[in-house]
Amino acid sequence: MKKVPRAMDTSTTLEQIKSALTAYQAERGWSKPEPRDLATSVTIEAAELLEYFQWSSLVDVAANRQGITDELADVLTYLVQLAIALDIDVAAAFFDKLERTKQKYPTTIFNPDSQPNSEAYRKLKAESRKGKVV
């Protein structure tokens, strides 16, 4: 097995991850997976990740670190493959959604100095469901 240099979050781009996944599939002669299959796989892998936390509020992350890490990698793998299959720019989608989420949860209501206001939250949620803020 070829040893791969350790990639780091601070130096690895989404494009590098996409390229590695595309090469991995091509080397095996695997056809492009169907988006539905990839979306299903995201859910399955996310459920496997959740199993580490099921029935426990105190998870020994250190003892389960490798398994948790593997499941996170599996979820990321299928999410990136889905983005490739649907030709979605993940970074653009992320920042676009973050901006809309900032509008949905404005700092005038949600900030470290404010008290939780469930009425304001319910109002924002209702407006969001009506399509005013997404």
Side-chain angles (χ1 to χ4, degrees):
M1 176 186 266
K2 181 181 170 186
K3 182 151 175 122
V4 178
R6 183 166 170 80
M8 303 297 287
D9 283 347
T10 59
S11 61
T12 304
T13 67
L14 278 170
E15 188 56 43
Q16 289 171 313
I17 292 170
K18 285 180 174 182
S19 293
L21 283 170
T22 301
Y24 169 80
Q25 287 178 276
E27 290 166 356
R28 286 154 183 79
W30 292 346
S31 62
K32 285 187 164 185
E34 291 294 321
R36 182 189 183 284
D37 296 332
L38 294 168
T40 300
S41 296
V42 168
T43 302
I44 292 166
E45 295 300 338
E48 289 178 10
L49 173 62
L50 187 58
E51 285 179 334
Y52 283 97
F53 301 92
Q54 185 178 16
W55 307 118
S56 175
S57 60
L58 300 172
V59 174
D60 187 352
V61 174
N64 294 292
R65 187 168 190 82
Q66 188 59 57
I68 292 168
T69 300
D70 289 348
E71 296 308 334
L72 281 171
D74 288 344
V75 171
L76 177 62
T77 296
Y78 285 114
L79 284 172
V80 172
Q81 285 182 306
L82 183 58
I84 293 168
L86 297 175
D87 194 28
I88 293 173
D89 183 321
V90 177
F94 170 80
F95 286 110
D96 179 60
K97 179 62 177 180
L98 181 60
E99 284 306 310
R100 288 184 284 135
T101 301
K102 287 178 182 180
Q103 292 174 16
K104 184 176 178 180
Y105 301 103
T107 57
T108 55
I109 299 171
F110 302 96
N111 64 69
D113 298 324
S114 69
Q115 295 296 316
N117 186 335
S118 56
E119 183 57 38
Y121 175 77
R122 279 193 290 278
K123 181 180 176 186
L124 285 171
K125 198 69 169 170
E127 289 174 2
S128 173
R129 289 189 178 127
K130 291 178 188 173
K132 292 183 180 177
V133 179
V134 182

